[in-house]
Amino acid sequence: MSNFNNAYIPPAALTGSMRDFRVPGGADLLERTEGFFKWQDLRRQNGLWPFSRATEDGPNTICHAQDDSGNKMRGVNFASQDYLSLSSHSGIKETAKQTIERCGVHSAGSPALVGNTSSSVALERKIAEFLKMEEVVLYPTGWAAGFGVIKGLVRSADHVVMDMLSHSCLQEGANAATNNIHLFRHLDNDYCRNILTKIRSKDKENGILVVTEGLFSMDSDTPDLLALQTLCHEFNATLVVDVAHDLGNLGRDGRGHIGVQDMLGKIDIIMGSFSKTFASNGGFVACKTRAVKEYLRFYSAPATFSNALSPVQAATILKAFDIVESAEGRGLRLQLMTNITALRKQLTAAGLEYYGDPSAIVCVKMGSEGLARLVSKRLPELGLIANLVEFPAVPKGQARIRMQVMANHSENNISDAVAVLRTAKAEAEIELEMTKQPTLGPAQRVA
Ligand SMILES: Cc1ncc(COP(=O)(O)O)c(C=O)c1O
């Protein structure tokens, strides 16, 4: 049994959300940040602000980290997005070292000028072949690719039709591009059809970009891509699929759900990130014509006016693709799936529920934000580092602990994590009940 200490927690630290401060009032742009900070700091003072942590020795399976007040923690790490464990792979590190020796560390220019390197040009070709697409544009981050592809292609009279759970980069790109944004119910292609029908009954002149993801990062679920792509063509719309979380690590050959669903070369536009599987920051957009590529390069601001990936990033990602395509990569994917299956099985045996289909993202259901925050507070104390996800990132009352599985996790890492989660949840349930007892003051609450 752990040394559970049920100290008094002010209710305000267990309620409210970041949404409350998104549009702060007041004429002073700087002063009006105070409200958020006050709420955040109340949570921080009570150990309930589990964000902005720093690792000390990289995203390894056992991780030393500190919170944003400098408090140290050590635990099994299920909070990092390094699904195939490539960030510490010896071949990747060697490639990085050799590239630094040869090229230094900086691209020193935009890809529209002289920021490309022989590695970045080779990487574009590699991704195009990997996805059976014709052309690829690289971006400094996955976020920039998602934002940039929408803002680059969509103009104010056009429409964006998007799955309501699409990632922030896609939502922000749409908001920046047009007011004509139509959200459809998550994964619901019929709902999407209704929207497309309505738009085309009034507007045949302007473009429609339909936006979805290959694997949703909070729910671990996937659209029917063939049906969605067919729908798009029926309504003269263009489909973009964000494959940040499944590319490289899912499916026998690592082509993610696009490969699993036999859609290679058949999606209009694919965008992705290197930051989950390919051991580096960076993102890409893959398309079918040189015209689209050249247009994005000069009309998609993050690809035009931001420095290119550094030579070491490009070379590292290229090497990661080589590994992903190799027998070793297949082995790593198998190991990852073995770990995913073991985690899900053990969670179920421990009475813990999770969302979605088997993938490297296993989100464990908590429910109320208050409970999830208390669980999340206990996790590092008990030896587990995992991320809290709460409203507005997910719907109210559906807070969760997101476990991100890596190929290098051991059987013990998994069983330890499940044991911690079970204890933390049981203790947090008791603690939450105690915070609801109005007659007990702080003194009486302390056991
Ligand atoms: C679905 C999705 N798209 C895009 C991104 C952005 O990727 P990056 O971290 O490379 O900026 C993320 C990252 O969290 C993501 O989850």
Side-chain angles (χ1 to χ4, degrees):
M1 195 60 197
S2 68
N3 57 346
F4 165 48
N5 174 15
N6 56 333
Y8 173 69
I9 303 270
L14 294 172
T15 54
S17 79
M18 290 203 221
R19 173 65 60 82
D20 302 340
F21 308 97
R22 199 168 64 176
V23 188
D28 187 324
L29 292 177
L30 306 184
E31 199 180 284
R32 69 193 200 187
T33 60
E34 294 291 334
F36 168 67
F37 181 64
K38 209 169 148 207
W39 173 77
Q40 181 203 41
D41 213 37
L42 181 71
R43 287 182 61 172
R44 183 180 287 110
Q45 298 310 325
N46 286 279
L48 297 168
W49 187 255
F51 306 113
S52 307
R53 288 172 175 164
T55 63
E56 290 189 1
D57 40 16
N60 301 313
T61 52
I62 301 283
C63 176
H64 291 88
Q66 59 180 31
D67 68 18
D68 72 350
S69 302
N71 300 311
K72 306 258 186 220
M73 59 188 79
R74 178 189 178 280
V76 191
N77 177 21
F78 279 84
S80 294
Q81 330 195 92
D82 185 25
Y83 299 141
L84 291 188
S85 299
L86 293 184
S87 77
S88 53
H89 186 283
S90 57
I92 296 273
K93 290 199 281 195
E94 195 47 44
T95 299
K97 282 184 218 158
Q98 285 173 13
T99 310
I100 289 171
E101 281 306 318
R102 194 163 44 88
C103 308
V105 294
H106 184 29
S107 66
S110 140
L113 299 173
V114 77
N116 304 303
T117 57
S118 51
S119 296
S120 72
V121 173
L123 178 60
E124 289 175 357
R125 290 312 329 143
K126 169 69 90 181
I127 299 171
E129 282 161 23
F130 190 77
L131 289 171
K132 293 200 166 60
M133 301 290 275
E134 290 303 316
E135 301 287 350
V136 162
V137 188
L138 298 175
Y139 284 78
T141 66
W143 201 96
F147 179 91
V149 68
I150 299 180
K151 184 74 170 77
L153 294 176
V154 174
R155 297 292 169 266
S156 59
D158 297 326
H159 304 261
V160 176
V161 177
M162 64 196 319
D163 188 294
M164 62 186 291
L165 298 189
S166 297
H167 189 261
S168 125
C169 61
L170 305 166
Q171 306 231 14
E172 296 279 343
N175 285 330
T178 177
N179 288 330
N180 303 326
I181 299 172
H182 318 256
L183 299 180
F184 64 89
R185 214 158 37 207
H186 183 48
L187 305 184
D188 189 337
N189 287 352
D190 291 336
Y191 200 116
C192 180
R193 168 181 286 280
N194 288 343
I195 292 175
L196 292 172
T197 307
K198 271 192 202 136
I199 295 172
R200 279 295 178 231
S201 70
K202 293 193 205 120
D203 182 356
K204 296 194 171 42
E205 308 303 317
N206 294 292
I208 306 176
L209 189 66
V210 175
V211 180
T212 191
E213 297 182 17
L215 175 72
F216 281 83
S217 62
M218 300 300 174
D219 295 79
S220 190
D221 51 11
T222 300
D224 178 339
L225 293 170
L226 173 60
L228 199 55
Q229 182 63 85
T230 307
L231 197 55
C232 287
H233 289 166
E234 190 183 327
F235 288 89
N236 193 20
T238 300
L239 179 64
V240 59
V241 181
D242 178 344
V243 296
H245 285 276
D246 54 334
L247 190 71
N249 69 72
L250 205 140
R252 191 172 179 281
D253 57 6
R255 264 71 173 179
H257 278 288
I258 288 182
V260 171
Q261 296 191 27
D262 196 21
M263 290 298 288
L264 280 173
K266 299 177 194 162
I267 303 285
D268 294 326
I269 294 180
I270 300 170
M271 67 122 306
S273 157
F274 305 122
S275 66
K276 328 292 174 191
T277 301
F278 298 91
S280 175
N281 292 357
F284 72 88
V285 172
C287 54
K288 288 183 173 164
T289 66
R290 177 86 189 262
V292 173
K293 173 184 174 145
E294 293 299 333
Y295 193 81
L296 287 175
R297 174 146 287 170
F298 293 96
Y299 292 89
S300 175
T304 317
F305 300 108
S306 195
N307 266 232
L309 292 178
S310 72
V312 66
Q313 286 176 310
T316 299
I317 300 160
L318 195 55
K319 176 70 181 172
F321 268 94
D322 285 344
I323 297 172
V324 160
E325 280 190 304
S326 70
E328 183 187 3
R330 263 196 299 285
L332 288 169
R333 277 190 294 280
L334 274 177
Q335 187 54 51
L336 176 63
M337 194 43 85
T338 303
N339 290 345
I340 292 163
T341 310
L343 177 62
R344 291 167 65 102
K345 214 170 144 192
Q346 290 182 37
L347 285 168
T348 304
L352 295 163
E353 294 178 58
Y354 44 80
Y355 290 91
D357 306 318
S359 83
I361 298 164
V362 182
C363 283
V364 184
K365 297 183 183 181
M366 292 294 140
S368 79
E369 288 69 30
L371 178 68
R373 285 174 200 172
L374 291 170
V375 171
S376 147
K377 178 185 178 196
R378 288 295 287 137
L379 295 182
E381 295 165 0
L382 294 167
L384 172 62
I385 301 177
N387 285 316
L388 165 67
V389 185
E390 57 175 49
F391 179 80
V394 292
K396 239 184 208 153
Q398 293 182 26
R400 54 203 80 177
I401 299 294
R402 184 164 76 162
M403 310 279 283
Q404 287 175 293
V405 189
M406 299 190 275
N408 280 1
H409 278 129
S410 67
E411 284 176 23
N412 283 348
N413 293 157
I414 293 166
S415 50
D416 288 351
V418 174
V420 169
L421 261 175
R422 183 170 48 185
T423 305
K425 183 154 183 270
E427 290 181 352
E429 278 163 354
I430 297 168
E431 202 174 1
L432 188 64
E433 273 313 304
M434 299 184 81
T435 65
K436 288 180 188 157
Q437 292 176 26
T439 51
L440 294 184
Q444 289 97 319
R445 279 201 189 94
V446 177

